[in-house]
Amino acid sequence: MDDVDWAILRELAADGRMSVRTLAERIRVSRTNAYARLERLAADGVITGFTARLDPARAGLGTTAYVLLNIDQNAWRTISDQLRDVPYVQHMALVGGDVDIMMLVRTPDNATLRDVVIAGVHAVPGVRSTRTWLVFEELAGRRSLV
């Protein structure tokens, strides 16, 4: 990764819909060079895809919570695989510390969140306990990865 690669990532993080021509102009390289670097960054797994950034509340998902789980340690692969199928789970991380798994869950309302935790998460064999933390407000960091 050199300075040009980082410039590509910064530009795409700001506008992932820009054309290769616009990208090349902004970072001051040829279109061929920009295209080749994009292909390499994708092939190397640095760029894993292009998505739209959504406002969860405006998309009908006004309740956000972190759900922390304690699980049976010897079955974490099976448990985490089954949790990926629970509706409304946006992100899941295996973590160290007082809990084993941390999930970001976005639902339309509190009743749906309750159903996700009680009927969805607790239905997975090996989930021993959960703690749910409601999110009142989300703030982005001042610095991005690029």
Side-chain angles (χ1 to χ4, degrees):
M1 296 273 304
D2 62 13
D3 290 344
V4 174
D5 290 334
W6 283 106
I8 288 171
L9 297 177
R10 275 192 300 277
E11 291 295 330
L12 290 177
D15 180 5
R17 295 180 61 181
M18 83 174 53
S19 68
V20 175
R21 178 182 176 182
T22 302
L23 177 63
E25 289 171 358
R26 289 193 181 171
I27 62 172
R28 295 184 175 95
V29 298
S30 70
R31 275 188 279 173
T32 303
N33 188 359
Y35 182 79
R37 285 173 177 267
L38 273 172
E39 290 293 310
R40 181 182 45 78
L41 289 167
D44 290 348
V46 175
I47 296 174
T48 59
F50 296 89
T51 62
R53 287 187 296 258
L54 307 177
D55 181 316
R58 291 186 181 192
L61 301 172
T63 297
T64 299
Y66 286 100
V67 180
L68 301 111
L69 291 78
N70 285 309
I71 63 170
D72 292 337
Q73 294 299 305
N74 59 348
W76 68 269
R77 282 189 176 95
T78 304
I79 294 168
S80 61
D81 190 52
Q82 290 177 4
L83 289 170
R84 294 176 75 190
D85 293 328
V86 174
Y88 300 106
V89 173
Q90 181 178 351
H91 178 80
M92 185 170 46
L94 299 168
V95 297
D98 294 341
V99 297
D100 302 310
I101 295 176
M102 180 182 291
M103 297 188 317
L104 176 62
V105 179
R106 296 184 189 279
T107 63
D109 50 45
N110 287 351
T112 306
L113 175 63
R114 179 198 62 223
D115 292 342
V116 166
V117 173
I118 294 172
V121 174
H122 279 282
V124 174
V127 172
R128 293 188 305 191
S129 66
T130 62
R131 283 184 279 169
T132 302
W133 296 353
L134 283 175
V135 174
F136 295 129
E137 184 175 356
E138 293 183 70
L139 305 169
R142 296 194 193 280
R143 298 185 56 107
S144 67
L145 294 176
V146 292

